[in-house]
């Protein structure tokens, strides 16, 4: 390996970051379309059997065994205060990496992987108030409307201190 290789890698990374694009996984919750950075998503799986854990918030659906790793499952509909909905053929679990932990989030449907320009991202309007504002990274302008860009780390990290310690003991 020559001494220029690390510099070449740094330069490639700089060019990639400077390109002004990013990839998102878009998904549906109710009537709204949301997105998270693709680097946070480990995989997308079908709904399966979830083992309920007693004395956890309603939005913590329980645990699944994913290839010998036990992971907690969060129902994002309930986490956002939306009414509970029975799983459909489109319902998926997005397995994400949050704060060094693997967590599954239940979404109504996964739409697509999008490559967007950073110019398409607008900050959340200052008039948006409420508990969920701190989880919004921005709004992505698409031809078909707006996509709500989520900071999945902030959204799920606060749960690490309340509901997940019991699950950490299991896994």
């Amino acid at each position: 390996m020559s001494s220029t290789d690390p510099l070449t890698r740094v330069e490639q990374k700089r060019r990639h970051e400077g390109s002004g694009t990013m990839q998102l996984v878009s998904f549906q919750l109710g009537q709204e379309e949301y997105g998270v950075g693709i680097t946070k998503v480990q995989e997308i799986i079908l709904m399966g059997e979830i083992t309920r854990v007693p004395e956890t918030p309603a939005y913590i659906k329980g645990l699944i065994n994913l290839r010998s790793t036990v992971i907690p499952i969060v129902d994002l509909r309930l986490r956002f205060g939306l009414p509970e909905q029975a799983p459909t053929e489109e319902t998926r679990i997005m397995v994400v990496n949050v704060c060094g932990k693997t967590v599954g989030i239940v979404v109504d449907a996964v739409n697509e992987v999008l490559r967007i320009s950073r110019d398409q991202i607008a900050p959340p309007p200052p008039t948006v108030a409420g508990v969920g504002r701190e989880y919004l990274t921005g709004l992505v302008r698409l031809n078909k409307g707006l996509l709500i860009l989520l900071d999945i780390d902030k959204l799920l990290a606060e749960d690490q201190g309340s509901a997940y310690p019991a699950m950490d003991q299991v896994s």
Side-chain angles (χ1 to χ4, degrees), residues 110-143:
V110 174
N111 297 337
E112 60 187 321
V113 174
L114 299 168
R115 182 179 299 273
I116 61 158
S117 164
R118 293 190 191 278
D119 297 342
Q120 291 175 266
I121 303 173
T127 54
V128 174
V131 178
R133 188 183 187 335
E134 64 268 21
Y135 310 131
L136 300 182
T137 300
L139 301 172
V140 180
R141 295 179 291 259
L142 302 172
N143 291 339

Side-chain angles (χ1 to χ4, degrees), residues 2-15:
S2 73
S3 61
T4 60
D5 286 337
L7 292 176
T8 304
R9 286 194 301 267
V10 170
E11 184 61 31
Q12 288 171 344
K13 184 178 179 188
R14 191 174 294 136
R15 282 188 200 140

